[in-house]
Amino acid sequence: MIKKKKTEDKEENEIGWRAAEYDHIEKGGGWYATVGAAVLILLAIALWQKNFFFGIFILLAGIIVITLGNRRPDVLDFKLTGEGCEAGRGVFHKYEDLKNFCLKSRPNRLDELVFRKKTAFNPFVRIPVDSRTAEKARIFLVQKLPEVAYEGSLMDALIDFLGF
């Protein structure tokens, strides 16, 4: 949906949509067995090395991975305005803090707007968007930021492989 607001003789475009914060993939028994086996193997290595802190870390990490794997995504409101991008729950990214963007098409899933921030730590912001709204967003964003091709990282491949 595209809204036009008038503010002091200035017309400002705004694009808003709702989407789940991430794609939820149902995990089967094999996924849980694989996570459990990995935790047990790493725990055995930690005990063999008498590294009890690593063992505790592995147990906590296993619990967190299983908990996050079960968690259902929240549905969030996203909005592109003249000043920046609002990504649900009051998170706002100003265009001046972003380097560029990419519209990543993903077959059989929601497309993804990927913004690159001007920071080295956690530089990417990924926002799910349906294909019709994505094209409107791309047209809107090329006026604000340069569009570049996004090269997926090893972490992206690992996250997809693990089903997150």
Side-chain angles (χ1 to χ4, degrees), residues 70-129:
N70 283 333
R71 185 175 162 261
R72 295 256 180 212
D74 292 334
V75 176
L76 302 176
D77 292 315
F78 299 97
K79 190 185 320 181
L80 298 175
T81 67
E83 291 83 35
C85 172
E86 187 176 325
R89 293 193 189 116
V91 176
F92 191 78
H93 302 281
K94 294 180 181 178
Y95 293 128
E96 61 197 37
D97 297 334
L98 302 172
K99 281 186 182 179
N100 52 48
F101 82 97
C102 173
L103 178 59
K104 188 175 160 187
S105 180
R106 303 183 310 170
N108 301 321
R109 296 165 68 182
L110 287 175
D111 292 345
E112 195 171 51
L113 274 174
V114 181
F115 292 99
R116 184 177 180 100
K117 297 187 286 188
K118 293 180 180 175
T119 61
F121 180 72
N122 195 15
F124 296 104
V125 176
R126 293 171 177 80
I127 298 174
V129 60

Side-chain angles (χ1 to χ4, degrees), residues 132-146:
R132 283 193 327 201
T133 306
E135 190 54 36
K136 293 175 189 174
R138 191 188 72 70
I139 292 167
F140 182 82
L141 286 169
V142 292
Q143 301 168 20
K144 310 286 184 190
L145 294 168

Side-chain angles (χ1 to χ4, degrees), residues 5 19 30-32 54 68-70 104 123 139 149 152:
K5 296 193 297 188
W31 186 86
Y32 294 104
F54 182 60
L68 290 177
N70 283 333
K104 188 175 160 187
I139 292 167

Side-chain angles (χ1 to χ4, degrees), residues 24-39:
H24 180 73
I25 300 170
E26 285 295 324
K27 311 309 188 268
W31 186 86
Y32 294 104
T34 303
V35 170
V39 166

